[in-house]
């Protein structure tokens, strides 16, 4: 914005010393939880500061650092010096500034529980904690369009969804404050992080430096433009997926019509994946008149990729517009301006014949198969986090099912997945249940109805006998024709494997 001077951002040079001081004061996720207590800590995640202010009335170094970096209060220089022995260096490098006899933070530094219990810190703009009822605030001297946000529910959701296997290369597309790049740096030899916002790239550099990770290859630009024809083993993206009229905020508005940004990202992903590589992203998508959303999104998937698309929530157009108007803080401003922006949102949706917007995640894997598996489903129920290992297992099971026809399934061996229980449903006192349900406490936490044969089959799967021999034994026990039962059971086995109730035993494992 013309006339607005962007303040100097901190230098990463003193990040190692600052990290040592923060850790020495227990300014970590666990340390802050212990100090604040569960109620104030949870309130802080909603950008509500009053409980935390009440909990930090002491004069310990941790009290001081919480007030300084999380509550963004001025603290006396002497207290800041006691909490941060390297204070003068941090002042010189721009992490803090002197305001008379007080010291203030220039950036939000937020403790974050990293992989394997590591202590990490996410650096973002002041006033940009995600989740507050008032919407995103503003940082001194920064155009609100260029604000860089910190940790939010979307960030942690994507981090939990990502498949964490050792890879040679990873791309964080739209890195923001660098959270996904930080996670990727723990299992990727080489990490590239991109963003259209130069300030975001600098914040990503600060986040990784402060958390002790190697600096990624940082590049400016939109979508895949910064990486040319390079390919990666893993692509992760929490993109600016908001479907909005215009592009007010770089962190959320993609600047393309409708859900075209997410569609383009998915369609172009295969060109930038190595064989067997993963692309995982969060997305919003339109529900358009006369077209099933599942068919529409399945059409985005590039050739040679398997895909699992999960819709977690749907909002009608009014709810969606209100959500992002609140996010932008428009509800706190001029009512006429709020109404005009609301109207523009509804006009856009009406022109595109949009009835609602879906929220969810998309996982692609470049399998190279001529018969790709593309599953799009609605699942608004609670899931286990981190879900990444279960997503990897889902794709592995699709590989298995693709390689095995019905005859092969009967020759295969299976084990019952961990934490699967059987529930019998019926009237109280009834001799026989009306139906039997298998329920899993892991992964997607699915439940499915099964018949007597399915329940009996699952119950005896311990990896020792081929499926066909188990079916033959069940047929004999029930007095049924074994040939008929062999003919109809593979469909049930396929469903139980696909949904994660049964795990195939690898061919090279001896019973």
């Amino acid at each position: 914005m013309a006339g607005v001077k962007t303040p100097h951002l901190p230098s990463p040079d003193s990040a190692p010393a600052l990290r040592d001081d923060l850790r020495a004061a227990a300014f970590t996720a666990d340390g802050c939880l212990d100090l604040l207590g569960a109620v104030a800590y949870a309130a802080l995640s909603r950008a509500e500061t009053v409980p935390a202010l009440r909990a930090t009335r002491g004069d310990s170094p941790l009290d001081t650092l919480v007030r300084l970096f999380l509550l963004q209060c001025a603290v006396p220089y002497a207290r800041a010096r006691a909490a941060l022995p390297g204070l003068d260096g941090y002042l010189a490098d721009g992490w803090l500034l002197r305001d008379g006899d007080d010291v203030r933070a220039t950036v939000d530094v937020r403790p974050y529980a990293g992989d394997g219990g590591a202590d990490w810190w996410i650096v973002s703009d002041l006033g940009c904690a995600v989740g507050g009822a008032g919407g995103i605030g503003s940082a001194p001297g920064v155009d609100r369009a260029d604000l860089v946000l910190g940790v939010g529910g979307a960030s942690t959701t994507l981090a939990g969804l990502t498949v964490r296997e050792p890879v040679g290369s990873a791309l964080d597309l739209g890195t923001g404050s660098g959270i996904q790049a930080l996670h990727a740096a723990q299992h990727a030899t080489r990490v590239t992080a991109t963003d259209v916002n130069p300030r975001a790239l600098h914040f990503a550099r600060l986040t990784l430096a402060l958390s002790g990770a190697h600096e990624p290859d940082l590049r400016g630009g939109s979508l895949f433009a910064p990486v040319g024809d390079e390919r990666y083993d893993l692509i992760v993206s929490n993109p600016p997926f908001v479907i909005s009229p215009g592009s007010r905020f770089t962190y959320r508005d993609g600047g393309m019509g409708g859900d075209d940004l997410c569609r383009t990202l998915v369609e172009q992903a295969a060109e930038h994946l190595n064989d067997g590589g993963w692309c995982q992203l969060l997305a919003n998508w339109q529900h358009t008149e006369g077209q099933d959303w599942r068919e529409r999104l399945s059409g985005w998937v590039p050739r040679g990729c398997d895909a699992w698309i999960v819709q977690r929530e749907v909002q009608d157009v009014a709810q969606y517009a209100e959500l992002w108007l609140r996010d932008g803080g428009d509800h706190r401003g001029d009512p006429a301006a709020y109404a005009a922006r609301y109207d523009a949102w509804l006009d856009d949706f009406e022109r595109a014949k949009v009835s609602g917007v879906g929220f969810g995640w998309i996982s692609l894997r470049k399998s190279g198969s001529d018969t790709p598996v593309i599953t799009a489903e609605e699942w608004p129920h609670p899931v286990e986090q981190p879900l990444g290992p279960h997503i990897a297992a889902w794709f592995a099971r699709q590989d298995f099912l693709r390689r095995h026809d019905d005859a092969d399934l009967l020759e295969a061996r299976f084990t019952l997945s961990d934490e699967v229980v059987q529930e019998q449903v019926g009237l109280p006192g009834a001799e026989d249940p009306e139906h039997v349900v298998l329920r899993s406490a892991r992964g997607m936490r699915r439940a499915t109805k099964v018949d007597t044969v399915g329940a009996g089959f699952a119950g005896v799967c311990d990896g020792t006998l081929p499926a066909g021999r188990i079916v033959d034994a069940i047929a004999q026990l029930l007095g049924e024709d074994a040939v008929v039962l062999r003919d109809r059971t593979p469909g049930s086995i396929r469903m139980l494997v696909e949904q994660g109730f049964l795990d195939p035993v690898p061919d090279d494992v001896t019973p």
Side-chain angles (χ1 to χ4, degrees):
M1 181 183 297
V4 175
K5 181 181 179 182
T6 300
H8 173 68
L9 290 172
S11 165
D13 292 348
S14 56
L18 178 57
R19 178 172 66 250
D20 290 343
D21 283 353
L22 297 180
R23 187 177 283 127
F27 187 66
T28 63
D30 287 343
C32 290
L33 176 59
D34 289 342
L35 173 70
L36 299 176
V39 172
Y41 193 78
L44 197 57
S45 72
R46 302 188 300 271
E48 297 292 349
T49 59
V50 172
L53 284 167
R54 293 169 60 87
T56 55
R57 290 168 173 166
D59 58 1
S60 73
L62 184 54
D63 285 304
T64 300
L65 294 179
V66 169
R67 283 184 164 254
L68 189 61
F69 287 117
L70 299 187
L71 305 180
Q72 285 139 34
C73 299
V75 301
Y77 176 87
R79 282 190 58 181
R81 183 62 182 270
L84 296 168
L87 175 62
D88 290 340
Y90 314 141
L91 287 166
D93 274 356
W95 291 91
L96 303 160
L97 60 83
R98 189 79 180 259
D99 183 9
D101 293 331
D102 293 333
V103 171
R104 293 182 178 273
T106 62
V107 290
D108 184 299
V109 175
R110 199 153 294 248
Y112 181 69
D115 296 336
D119 294 323
W120 294 345
W121 294 268
I122 309 302
V123 188
S124 64
D125 270 315
L126 296 173
C128 291
V130 181
I136 298 304
S138 60
V142 181
D143 187 337
R144 291 185 75 226
D146 295 328
L147 291 172
V148 178
L149 273 59
V151 182
S155 303
T156 55
T157 295
L158 180 59
L161 294 173
T162 303
V163 175
R164 301 293 175 196
E165 56 189 23
V167 294
S169 57
L171 169 64
D172 177 10
L173 194 154
T175 189
S177 53
I179 300 165
Q180 309 308 324
L182 178 57
H183 279 282
Q186 312 310 306
H187 62 103
T189 304
R190 175 173 61 88
V191 177
T192 302
T194 70
D195 207 288
V196 296
N197 185 353
R199 299 184 75 255
L201 296 175
H202 191 85
F203 275 109
R205 177 180 288 112
L206 296 176
T207 288
L208 271 75
L210 190 57
S211 299
H214 293 297
E215 182 173 314
D217 179 2
L218 298 165
R219 306 184 193 180
S222 179
L223 291 170
F224 292 104
V227 300
D229 59 358
E230 294 176 37
R231 293 174 182 261
Y232 298 86
D233 300 312
L234 171 67
I235 299 171
V236 291
S237 184
N238 179 13
F241 51 63
V242 177
I243 301 169
S244 58
S247 181
R248 293 176 62 203
F249 299 107
T250 305
Y251 70 84
R252 73 172 202 193
D253 300 318
M256 299 173 72
D259 50 21
D260 281 355
L261 184 134
C262 292
R263 175 184 57 78
T264 302
L265 198 162
V266 172
E267 289 178 344
Q268 295 181 358
E271 301 170 16
H272 298 279
L273 285 174
N274 291 322
D275 292 342
W278 299 89
C279 175
Q280 297 185 267
L281 66 143
L282 304 183
N284 285 184
W285 46 78
Q286 298 176 151
H287 284 224
T288 55
E289 195 176 298
Q291 189 173 17
D292 187 283
W293 72 269
R294 297 169 184 83
E295 294 179 4
R296 186 165 174 271
L297 267 69
S298 295
W300 293 0
V301 178
R303 188 182 199 78
C305 286
D306 297 330
W308 188 13
I309 303 165
V310 180
Q311 180 168 274
R312 299 287 287 157
E313 182 184 358
V314 182
Q315 289 188 344
D316 64 43
V317 293
Q319 290 174 310
Y320 190 80
E322 291 161 13
L323 170 67
W324 296 110
L325 287 166
R326 287 195 302 273
D327 174 82
D330 295 289
H331 60 306
R332 295 183 281 111
D334 176 28
Y338 175 87
R341 286 201 171 107
Y342 199 153
D343 207 33
W345 229 301
L346 297 184
D347 279 345
D348 261 21
F349 284 138
E350 186 175 355
R351 278 192 295 269
K353 297 183 178 180
V354 174
S355 60
V357 178
F359 299 66
W361 66 70
I362 300 174
S363 293
L364 307 176
R365 190 195 51 175
K366 191 174 182 179
S367 64
S369 174
D370 294 330
T371 56
V373 175
I374 301 175
T375 297
E377 62 175 322
E378 187 159 13
W379 192 258
H381 314 294
V383 300
E384 182 179 2
Q385 282 284 22
L387 196 62
H390 301 282
I391 290 177
W394 185 91
F395 280 88
R397 293 195 300 270
Q398 309 317 306
D399 282 342
F400 171 86
L401 293 172
R402 185 162 41 208
R403 294 193 308 266
H404 290 72
D405 61 18
D406 287 356
D408 294 331
L409 284 180
L410 292 173
E411 293 298 320
R413 293 173 288 120
F414 302 91
T415 58
L416 188 67
S417 300
D418 293 339
E419 296 189 43
V420 173
V421 297
Q422 175 180 300
E423 299 175 356
Q424 295 183 331
V425 181
L427 293 173
E431 185 174 340
D432 296 315
E434 293 179 15
H435 57 263
V436 177
V437 173
L438 296 182
R439 187 178 301 278
S440 173
R442 304 298 305 277
M444 298 291 279
R445 296 175 174 160
R446 297 186 189 274
T448 188
K449 290 183 183 180
V450 292
D451 59 15
T452 303
V453 173
F457 180 87
V460 297
C461 279
D462 61 3
T464 59
L465 293 175
R469 289 183 59 184
I470 296 174
V471 172
D472 291 343
I474 292 174
Q476 184 176 11
L477 184 65
L478 298 179
E480 295 197 26
D481 187 323
V483 175
V484 173
L485 205 57
R486 273 177 168 260
D487 191 49
R488 80 166 198 249
T489 302
S492 298
I493 296 174
R494 196 169 292 276
M495 180 274 294
L496 291 173
V497 171
E498 182 177 9
Q499 296 194 5
F501 294 98
L502 293 177
D503 294 320
V505 176
D507 295 336
D508 59 353
V509 175
T510 303

